[in-house]
């Protein structure tokens, strides 16, 4: 019988937690997300089955993730490396369409940054995909993992606070209507 070492079991549990389906209802409102990037679906994005190829969803998430990384003003020595990514495909996309790929921070630790995101289709007016990404803070000059730079942590935490304040305002308005 195959025995999985305890360390690997803990790592697998952490991965399955980070990539699980969202625990709350997803909303396409841009105010719910740190970054929203509009992307035109191209004819060449479709595969032989006349829908957008699954690999393109990862490209959409990459575009939004890179925008957020630019907003953080990461440098070569204070950057991130993609450790893991996942996508739950919910609706097929087709050309012509414009999607909004939205991302936000799900969690932040000393050395890891977990993002979640959606791909929202304007054509079908629904969320077409949900994705996650686990990023590890990385120094490319010295090829090693590093801690989250304080200025990046401050920026991300301020964005997380803004999103939480927006959610609380929305809940308050819903309770009083």
């Amino acid at each position: 019988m195959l025995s999985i070492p305890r360390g690997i079991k803990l790592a697998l549990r952490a991965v399955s937690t980070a990539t699980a389906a969202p625990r709350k209802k997803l909303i396409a409102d841009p105010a719910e997300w740190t970054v929203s990037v509009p992307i035109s679906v191209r004819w060449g994005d479709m595969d032989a089955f006349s829908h957008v190829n699954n690999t393109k969803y990862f490209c959409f998430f990459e575009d939004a993730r890179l925008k957020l990384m630019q907003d953080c003003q990461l440098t070569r020595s204070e950057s991130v490396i993609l450790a893991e990514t996942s996508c739950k495909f919910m609706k097929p996309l087709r050309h012509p369409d414009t999607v909004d790929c939205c991302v936000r921070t799900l969690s932040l630790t000393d050395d890891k940054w977990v993002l979640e995101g959606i791909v929202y289709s304007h054509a079908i007016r629904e969320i077409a995909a949900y994705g996650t990404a686990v990023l590890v803070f990385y120094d490319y000059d010295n090829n090693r993992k590093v801690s989250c730079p304080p200025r990046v942590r401050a920026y991300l935490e301020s964005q997380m606070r803004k999103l939480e304040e927006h959610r609380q305002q929305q809940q308050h308005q819903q309770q009083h209507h």
Side-chain angles (χ1 to χ4, degrees):
M1 184 163 149
L2 179 65
S3 174
I4 299 174
R6 185 176 188 282
I8 293 175
K9 284 181 185 177
L10 292 174
L12 289 173
R13 190 175 307 132
V15 166
S16 66
T17 301
T19 60
R23 291 180 290 281
K24 55 190 171 294
K25 185 177 184 323
L26 294 172
I27 300 171
D29 176 3
E32 290 284 324
W33 301 90
T34 307
V35 168
S36 180
V37 177
I39 302 168
S40 294
V41 174
R42 301 173 314 169
W43 176 262
D45 292 342
M46 293 193 302
D47 59 20
F49 298 104
S50 298
H51 60 74
V52 171
N53 185 281
N54 62 350
T55 61
K56 293 298 178 180
Y57 290 76
F58 290 97
C59 294
F60 299 157
F61 286 122
E62 178 184 49
D63 287 349
R65 199 170 56 243
L66 288 174
K67 169 69 172 104
L68 182 53
M69 289 165 57
Q70 288 171 346
D71 291 350
C72 289
Q73 299 178 343
L74 296 174
T75 65
R76 243 186 99 67
S77 62
E78 296 178 335
S79 193
V80 291
I81 191 166
L82 183 64
E84 174 189 337
T85 186
S86 71
C87 183
K88 178 178 174 143
F89 305 99
M90 300 160 75
K91 301 283 181 180
L93 295 172
R94 292 180 174 76
H95 177 272
D97 196 354
T98 298
V99 298
D100 289 329
C101 189
C102 308
V103 295
R104 64 183 169 207
T105 300
L106 189 59
S107 68
L108 183 64
T109 65
D110 182 55
D111 62 347
K112 276 192 201 129
W113 179 17
V114 180
L115 299 174
E116 68 176 341
I118 59 167
V119 175
Y120 175 81
S121 165
H122 288 258
I124 62 174
R125 296 180 180 210
E126 290 188 57
I127 295 172
Y130 171 80
T132 61
V134 178
L135 305 168
V136 174
F137 290 95
Y138 198 78
D139 177 348
Y140 285 92
D141 290 333
N142 296 300
N143 293 319
R144 64 184 177 92
K145 183 170 81 165
V146 294
S147 295
C148 177
R151 64 180 172 67
V152 173
R153 175 176 294 285
Y155 175 78
L156 294 173
E157 287 176 345
S158 75
Q159 294 302 311
M160 292 168 68
R161 277 191 303 276
K162 284 181 189 175
L163 292 174
E164 184 57 33
E165 288 167 5
H166 174 76
R167 280 189 216 112
Q168 288 175 357
Q169 288 174 349
Q170 295 296 99
Q171 287 175 347
H172 182 74
Q173 288 175 356
Q174 288 174 352
Q175 290 172 351
H176 292 91
H177 284 291

